[in-house]
Amino acid sequence: MTTESVERRDKAGARGVAGRVFRHENATLGIILAAVVAAMAIATGGKAVAVRNMKMVLVETATMGICAIGQAFVILTGGIDLSVAGIAFGTSALGSAMMTTQEFQQILGYAAPVWQGIPAMLALGAGLGAISGLVVSRIKVPGLIATLGVWQIAHGVGFFITGGFTITRMVTPLKFFGQGFIPEGGFPVAGIIFIVVAVVCYFIWHHTVYGQSVFAAGGSPGTAYLSGVKVKNMQFSVYVISGLLAGLGGMIRTARVMSVSYSSFDGLELQSIAAAVIGGMSLFGGKGTIVGVVLGALVIGVIRNGMAILGADPFLESTILGVIVILSVAIDTWRRRGR
Amino acid sequence: MAGVIQRPEGEAARGIGRRVVAHENFAIGMALVGLVAALGGASRGATVTPSNIANVLLQSSVRGVVAVGQAFVILTGNIDLSVSGVGVMAMMMGGAMMTTQWQNILGYPASLALAIPVMLLVAACWGLLNGTLVSRFGIPSLIATFGVWQLGYGVAYYVTNGEALMELPESLAIPGSLPAAPIIFFSVAVAAYIVLNHTGVGRNVYAVGGNPVSAFLSGINVRRTSLYVFIISGLLAGLGGLLFLSRGMAASIEALRGLELDSIAACAIGGISLFGGRGNIVGVVLGAIIIGVLTNAISVMHMGHAARYIIKGAIIIGAVAIDIIRRERR
C-alpha cells in the first residue's frame, strides 16, 4: 500500500505541473464548469458568453451561491439545512415590509432606510438559524428535522408579515445591492458581495482556529471532543451562519427584483444543497472546499442562465440539475473507491 | 440479562393500565386524542362533526399511504425525498392515458384497468431507480432521491406540457372518495404492519437500519433490502398520486408539492427514528392523521397560512425533541 502510494506520488511529480493541476481536488469541477460554459456558448450562438450576460449570471447566482456557502458550513459538520428558502423568504418579507413605500404594507408606519432594513433582515436570519442550532446542538434533534421545522416556521413568519401578498416599491437605495455596479457600468455589486463572502469564508475555513474546529467536529465529532473542541458550540454556530447568509441572499434577491412574494425562494434549499454537493462537499461531513462550492454554484447558474436564453422549459432545467447532482456524487463516490 | 427477564414480570404485575401507558405509541395516541379534543373545543365543535372527521380521513389517506412507504425507507436509515416527484409523475402519466382531452398520450382514453396498473408499475420502477442508485452505486439516499425527485417533475412536465389534466373518466372518482380511500390507506398500513413484524423482509429492514454492518455479518442481503424499501416507497408514492388524482379528478404539476416533507414529518411525529431501525407503522398512521387533523383544523378555523406553517414547524421539531428526550431518560 505504502510503496504504491509513494510510486503514485512520484509519477504525479514526474508529470509536472499539468499532472498536479489535474489531480487537484477541484480540477474535475473546473473542467465541468468550462464544458458547461462552452456548451451554453455554442447552444446560444455566443450570447451566453457576452460580458453583459456573464455579469448577469454572477448577479443571478449570488443569492444561491451565498446560501450554498452557508449550506456548506452546515454540511461540513455532517448536517443539512433545509430551511434556507424559508429563512430567505421570512427575512425578505420583514425587510420589504419595513422598507416599502406603500403605506398600507409598512409594519413600522414609515419607510425604513436601508441601514435599518438590512441589519434587521440579517438579524432575523441569524435568529431563525439559531433555533435550528439550539435544537440540533442541545437536544440532538437531527438537522434534517430541525431545519425542516424551521423552514415551516420561517415561511409562516413571512406569511404573517406579508399576509400572503406581494410586496413591492421598496426604498430606492436598496436597488444598489441587487442592480448596482461599481463603478457605474463596471462590476456588479451583488457579484462583489458574493465574492467577498466567499473570500471571508475561505479565510475562516482554512486560516482560523474556528474553521479548523468545524472541520474537526464534522470529520470525527468524538475525536474533536476529546481534543478539546466544543462540538456543541460548533454545531450551533454553523446553523446561525447559514441563517445569516440565507438572510443576506434573500436581501440580494429582494434588491435585484424589488418585489417579494411567498414563492420567490421556492427550491432555494435544494439548489444550495446541489451547489454544495456538485462542489464536492461530502454529505458525511468533514470534507469540502469553498472554491468547490463557488464553482458548483456557478455551474448551476450558467446552466440556468443558458436555459433561460434558449427559452427552455423550467422543468427541463430541473431535470438537468437532477442528473448533474446524481452524476457528480456518483463520480465522487467512484473516485473515492478508486483510491 | 436478569434485568431483561425481570422487567416483563414486573410490568405484568402492575397490570394492564401500566402496560398501556408504557407502550411506545401511548404518547402519540394521547397527543392525537388531546389535539382532537383541544381543536374541537377551540372550534366549538366544528372540527369534530362526523362529516369533517370523514373529510380528515379522506385528506389523510394520500399523505398516510406515502408516509407508510417513507417509513420503510427511514427504517433502513435512508430517506426518500423523491415521493412528490414520483407521485406527480405517476399521476400525470395515468391522467394523460385516461383523459379525453388533447393531451392524451395514447390517442385514445385508456380504461382504468390499464391505466392504474401502469401508474403503479411506473412508480415502482422509479423506486427501483432510487434503490439502484443507493444500494449499487453507494450514492447517499438524500442526494439520489433528490435527483430522482427533479427527474420525476421533469418527466411529469414533459408528459403534460405543464398544463392541468382534466376530463378524466368518472369511474376514476371511486378510489379517492369515501369510504374507499381510508380503506385503502388502512389496508396498506395493515399490510405494512404484517410485512414489518411478521416476515423475514421486515426483520431485515429493522436489522439493516439498526446496524448495517452486523446485519451484513449475520448474512442479511443489505443491498437487496435497501432496494426493496425504495421500490415499496416508490409504489406507495404512485398510489398516493392515484388517490390524489381520483379525489380531485384533475391534476396539476404543483398538486403534490410538499408531500416529501409531510411524509417525513408524519414518520418523525410517529416515532420512526431518522437514524433507522426504530419505530412502527401504527405510529406512522397516527402521525399522518395528526398532520391531517391539524391541517384541516387550521383551514376550518380560518387561521390562515401563517399559522399553518408555524404550527406545523413547531410540532415537527417538538415531536422529535420530546421523543429524543424521553429516550435519553430511559
Side-chain angles (χ1 to χ4, degrees):
Chain A
M1 276 300 285
T2 340
T3 33
E4 199 182 359
S5 62
V6 169
E7 261 173 47
R8 268 174 79 179
R9 211 186 302 154
D10 283 347
K11 262 189 204 165
R15 280 189 213 140
V17 179
R20 273 174 64 197
V21 167
F22 188 70
R23 282 178 178 276
H24 189 268
E25 52 190 337
N26 288 323
T28 324
L29 205 55
I31 295 168
I32 290 174
L33 179 59
V36 167
V37 171
M40 286 300 166
I42 294 167
T44 60
K47 277 185 205 159
V49 287
V51 175
R52 235 187 85 202
N53 186 58
M54 301 272 251
K55 285 181 192 169
M56 276 307 294
V57 172
L58 201 55
V59 172
E60 282 167 6
T61 312
T63 295
M64 187 246 294
I66 289 172
C67 292
I69 291 174
Q71 182 75 257
F73 271 85
V74 177
I75 293 180
L76 195 58
T77 64
I80 194 121
D81 190 351
L82 294 183
S83 67
V84 290
I87 292 182
F89 170 56
T91 55
S92 298
L94 176 72
S96 57
M98 281 174 77
M99 293 185 274
T100 182
T101 52
Q102 283 189 308
E103 282 173 9
F104 67 95
Q105 286 176 325
Q106 289 168 354
I107 47 173
L108 294 177
Y110 62 94
V114 173
W115 64 267
Q116 289 179 353
I118 292 178
M121 290 175 79
L122 300 183
L124 180 64
L128 288 167
I131 301 177
S132 309
L134 276 178
V135 176
V136 171
S137 66
R138 307 292 144 170
I139 316 182
K140 299 195 192 79
V141 171
L144 186 80
I145 288 294
T147 55
L148 179 60
V150 169
W151 178 85
Q152 302 256 5
I153 292 173
H155 213 69
V157 168
F159 254 105
F160 180 72
I161 293 171
T162 62
F165 294 104
T166 302
I167 298 190
T168 50
R169 299 199 191 165
M170 272 70 85
V171 290
T172 335
L174 182 65
K175 255 188 195 166
F176 175 74
F177 296 95
Q179 305 171 6
F181 290 90
I182 299 178
E184 196 63 39
F187 210 76
V189 175
I192 293 176
I193 298 177
F194 176 29
I195 292 168
V196 168
V197 168
V199 170
V200 169
C201 291
Y202 178 86
F203 183 76
I204 292 176
W205 275 29
H206 300 292
H207 297 284
T208 65
V209 176
Y210 168 76
Q212 293 302 307
S213 308
V214 174
F215 264 92
S220 169
T223 319
Y225 177 77
L226 292 176
S227 344
V229 173
K230 294 196 169 94
V231 175
K232 282 185 178 178
N233 292 357
M234 292 305 132
Q235 280 181 337
F236 173 71
S237 65
V238 292
Y239 286 97
V240 176
I241 291 173
S242 183
L244 178 77
L245 291 180
L248 183 62
M251 187 278 285
I252 291 176
R253 161 85 174 48
T254 306
R256 177 165 68 84
V257 184
M258 289 301 265
S259 103
V260 175
S261 85
Y262 66 91
S263 60
S264 295
F265 298 95
D266 278 2
L268 189 59
E269 71 282 10
L270 298 171
Q271 286 162 16
S272 68
I273 294 171
V277 165
I278 292 174
M281 297 291 307
S282 165
L283 284 172
F284 304 105
K287 185 181 153 280
T289 63
I290 288 284
V291 179
V293 176
V294 171
L295 291 176
L298 287 175
V299 167
I300 297 177
V302 169
I303 292 175
R304 289 179 54 128
N305 172 271
M307 304 292 267
I309 295 178
L310 292 171
D313 287 335
F315 284 86
L316 184 61
E317 176 191 310
S318 74
T319 309
I320 290 182
L321 191 61
V323 172
I324 292 181
V325 168
I326 293 179
L327 273 183
S328 62
V329 177
I331 291 171
D332 182 49
T333 313
W334 174 71
R335 275 178 69 182
R336 239 185 303 167
R337 270 190 201 162
R339 273 179 195 167
Chain B
M1 278 306 283
V4 175
I5 295 165
Q6 269 171 10
R7 255 180 88 189
E9 283 173 6
E11 274 178 16
R14 281 184 211 143
I16 291 174
R18 189 82 192 186
R19 274 174 63 197
V20 169
V21 173
H23 191 268
E24 54 186 335
N25 287 325
F26 177 72
I28 176 165
M30 288 312 292
L32 179 58
V33 172
L35 194 66
V36 170
L39 291 171
S43 67
R44 295 188 188 149
T47 55
V48 287
T49 58
S51 69
N52 191 55
I53 289 175
N55 206 3
V56 170
L57 283 178
L58 194 57
Q59 289 166 351
S60 301
S61 300
V62 173
R63 198 180 289 120
V65 165
V66 177
V68 168
Q70 183 75 260
F72 273 85
V73 175
I74 296 183
L75 276 174
T76 62
N78 288 302
I79 198 141
D80 190 351
L81 290 184
S82 71
V83 288
S84 67
V86 172
V88 156
M89 194 263 318
M91 187 166 87
M92 289 306 192
M93 207 78 123
M97 288 174 72
M98 291 182 279
T99 180
T100 49
Q101 279 181 305
W102 54 270
Q103 288 124 322
N104 197 300
I105 46 173
L106 297 177
Y108 65 95
S111 69
L112 261 62
L114 175 66
I116 291 178
V118 168
M119 282 172 80
L120 298 180
L121 189 68
V122 167
C125 286
W126 280 65
L128 178 69
L129 176 62
N130 276 327
T132 310
L133 289 171
V134 172
S135 66
R136 299 288 150 176
F137 295 96
I139 299 175
S141 57
L142 187 80
I143 290 299
T145 58
F146 163 55
V148 170
W149 175 77
Q150 300 264 14
L151 292 180
Y153 268 98
V155 170
Y157 192 85
Y158 180 75
V159 168
T160 61
N161 267 324
E163 285 171 46
L165 282 169
M166 280 176 285
E167 294 180 30
L168 297 162
E170 277 178 18
S171 51
L172 180 66
I174 297 166
S177 59
L178 284 169
I183 290 175
I184 292 174
F185 171 29
F186 290 123
S187 320
V188 165
V190 168
Y193 182 87
I194 293 169
V195 168
L196 280 176
N197 293 305
H198 298 286
T199 68
V201 174
R203 269 195 301 280
N204 292 355
V205 167
Y206 277 101
V208 168
N211 188 335
V213 176
S214 57
F216 177 76
L217 292 176
S218 32
I220 291 169
N221 193 332
V222 175
R223 284 181 166 190
R224 191 178 295 162
T225 308
S226 325
L227 201 60
Y228 285 158
V229 295
F230 280 104
I231 295 174
I232 291 170
S233 180
L235 178 70
L236 291 179
L239 183 59
L242 170 67
L243 291 181
F244 190 92
L245 182 68
S246 164
R247 195 177 87 206
M249 288 304 274
S252 102
I253 201 137
E254 295 292 324
L256 296 177
R257 281 265 185 224
L259 193 58
E260 65 283 354
L261 305 183
D262 272 0
S263 65
I264 295 170
C267 291
I269 293 174
I272 303 269
S273 163
L274 281 172
F275 305 106
R278 222 187 113 259
N280 61 58
I281 285 295
V282 180
V284 176
V285 171
L286 292 174
I289 294 177
I290 284 183
I291 294 185
V293 166
L294 265 176
T295 314
N296 170 272
I298 287 164
S299 75
V300 168
M301 293 160 72
H302 303 294
M303 283 154 72
H305 287 297
R308 189 180 94 203
Y309 284 115
I310 293 176
I311 292 173
K312 240 191 205 174
I315 287 210
I316 292 169
I317 297 180
V320 177
I322 290 169
D323 184 50
I324 288 172
I325 292 168
R326 266 184 73 198
R327 225 187 319 159
E328 280 179 353
R329 282 228 181 110
R330 275 184 191 165

